[in-house]
Amino acid sequence: MNRSTIAVKVRGLTKRFGDFTAVDMIDLSVKKGEIFGFLGPNGAGKSTTIKMLCGLLLPAGGEGSVGGYDIMKESEEIKKTIGYMSQKFSLYDDLTVGENIEFFSGIYGVSNSRKKKREEWVLEMAGLQDRRRAVTKTLPGGFKQRLALGCAILHEPPIIFLDEPTSGVDPVSRRNFWDLIYGMSRSGTTIFVTTHYMDEAEYCDRLALIYRGRVIAEGTPLEMKQKHMPRDVLEIEAGRPVEAMEVLHRQGIETALFGSLIHATVISAEHAIPTIRKAIEESQIHVFRIERIMPSLEDVFVTLIEAA
Ligand SMILES: Nc1ncnc2c1ncn2[C@@H]1O[C@H](COP(=O)(O)OP(=O)(O)O)[C@@H](O)[C@H]1O
Ligand SMILES: [Mg+2]
């Protein structure tokens, strides 16, 4: 692949805290303009990885580049090239909206000629045109989050790192936030985002799943479901679904209820379907339908993490 189409590329990225290896020999590559989702449970190493990519934390080992700059030697250049929104939005709660924007314009060295335009852009993007003088801590969560994003990208960086940007934000604000992310991606900005919301993972172009400091799967959402899922998922429609689930549990089959439908995770759909039908029907419960379905990303991640 041509180097210039790559926004982020690292190999063997490692970070230790004392004896503990928080990030363990990670390889990642993100194309320009891509929305790259970095997923994993709490403590997996997402924030530590992001901080190394942003030049905020020196790796213990590894090599690579962000925006064409060396992660080991050019962290100052990297900081100017990227936008970073940390897990705890880094706004000043006691400043007004306008003062926060002013402050971050200064930090990012936005030139005087561009400043006014960028400030207006943030206010509009965050829906805060009428609240320029509002104290930041009085804003509802969704507004604060969009303001934090705006402040992180005042300097129009080509690569943006977002660390759980939507955690604790209401669903409507999350949706709006993703519309903004899509818009930026369409105009060529690279987005590297961590999340633990599986519906958000579906919105990404490509994903990597990290667990205990290691990347355990990588691919598009579709590839994750087709290639990385070591199990088949069956959807079962039966009378008395809760009782039917108990029957399956006794057979050692893992199940979950989705409305009145049962999802069962099995090694092989072909072998399991007749066995399951028989077991349920022997308990005098009618089986309307059993079929193999495309697993959800949640199914895939739960299975992969259990296997790891
Ligand atoms: N400064 C630090 N000192 C010691 N341990 C740390 C430090 N930062 C993170 N860790 C540990 O490294 C692991 C990964 O943390 P983190 O990258 O924050 O995970 P995530 O963002 O995926 O929840 C966790 O076990 C965490 O406790
Ligand atoms: Mg984190």
Side-chain angles (χ1 to χ4, degrees):
M1 208 181 299
N2 187 332
R3 251 185 93 78
S4 66
T5 64
I6 300 284
V8 176
K9 187 163 181 70
V10 290
R11 285 172 57 120
L13 192 67
T14 299
K15 182 73 197 177
R16 292 188 200 93
F17 296 111
D19 295 340
F20 175 69
T21 306
V23 174
D24 193 5
M25 297 289 287
I26 281 188
D27 298 345
L28 286 175
S29 132
V30 182
K31 284 179 229 149
K32 279 188 185 162
E34 195 166 56
I35 302 179
F36 185 84
F38 199 43
L39 306 156
N42 263 335
K46 301 179 299 294
S47 297
T48 305
T49 302
I50 280 207
K51 285 178 200 160
M52 289 192 279
L53 296 176
C54 292
L56 298 168
L57 204 56
L58 189 68
E63 56 175 33
S65 63
V66 171
Y69 295 108
D70 189 305
I71 53 160
M72 296 304 235
K73 296 181 210 139
E74 297 175 304
S75 59
E76 288 313 308
E77 284 82 355
I78 289 175
K79 283 183 209 159
K80 285 178 211 146
T81 307
I82 56 127
Y84 165 60
M85 183 173 159
S86 76
Q87 218 169 334
K88 299 201 175 82
F89 314 151
S90 39
L91 296 171
Y92 288 91
D93 252 2
D94 293 329
L95 298 186
T96 65
V97 169
E99 285 164 348
N100 261 304
I101 299 174
E102 178 78 19
F103 176 80
F104 284 99
S105 289
I107 294 267
Y108 292 124
V110 178
S111 67
N112 279 333
S113 58
R114 261 167 73 208
K115 210 168 186 170
K116 192 80 201 119
K117 221 171 144 202
R118 292 302 292 158
E119 291 184 4
E120 291 307 321
W121 178 84
V122 173
L123 289 172
E124 196 197 319
M125 169 274 237
L128 288 168
Q129 295 100 319
D130 303 332
R131 303 215 209 178
R132 190 192 296 261
R133 280 181 200 86
V135 176
T136 302
K137 68 178 159 212
T138 66
L139 298 176
F143 285 96
K144 248 195 218 176
Q145 170 215 34
R146 290 196 293 274
L147 177 61
L149 174 67
C151 287
I153 61 178
L154 273 162
H155 52 313
E156 298 180 83
I159 308 174
I160 305 176
F161 291 88
L162 305 169
D163 196 358
E164 300 202 18
T166 56
S167 70
V169 176
D170 69 83
V172 175
S173 300
R174 277 174 56 200
R175 189 66 243 189
N176 290 340
F177 192 82
W178 273 91
D179 285 341
L180 288 173
I181 292 180
Y182 270 131
M184 292 188 295
S185 156
R186 270 196 302 272
S187 62
T189 305
T190 307
I191 319 273
F192 188 112
V193 58
T194 72
T195 178
H196 55 251
Y197 293 111
M198 289 303 146
D199 55 332
E200 296 188 341
E202 293 275 2
Y203 305 156
C204 298
D205 295 316
R206 233 149 44 77
L207 304 167
L209 178 63
I210 180 174
Y211 182 60
R212 295 192 173 159
R214 294 187 176 194
V215 171
I216 59 172
E218 208 190 329
T220 64
L222 189 62
E223 283 168 351
M224 288 283 193
K225 295 171 193 175
Q226 291 178 337
K227 288 191 201 156
H228 290 296
M229 181 63 174
R231 299 283 157 101
D232 290 341
V233 179
L234 301 177
E235 188 167 88
I236 303 160
E237 194 180 346
R240 309 205 305 278
V242 176
E243 280 173 59
M245 263 174 82
E246 281 162 12
V247 172
L248 298 182
H249 268 283
R250 284 199 293 273
Q251 306 251 324
I253 296 171
E254 227 178 278
T255 59
L257 204 55
F258 288 82
S260 64
L261 299 172
I262 303 164
H263 284 193
T265 312
V266 297
I267 292 169
S268 151
E270 201 180 308
H271 289 105
I273 289 175
T275 320
I276 287 179
R277 178 179 289 278
K278 189 156 166 274
I280 299 178
E281 284 177 347
E282 273 173 3
S283 303
Q284 317 302 324
I285 300 169
H286 186 66
V287 177
F288 296 101
R289 176 173 66 87
I290 304 184
E291 64 186 348
R292 185 177 168 194
I293 57 164
M294 179 77 88
S296 68
L297 277 176
E298 187 147 10
D299 292 327
V300 178
F301 294 155
V302 168
T303 306
L304 286 173
I305 285 172
E306 274 170 5

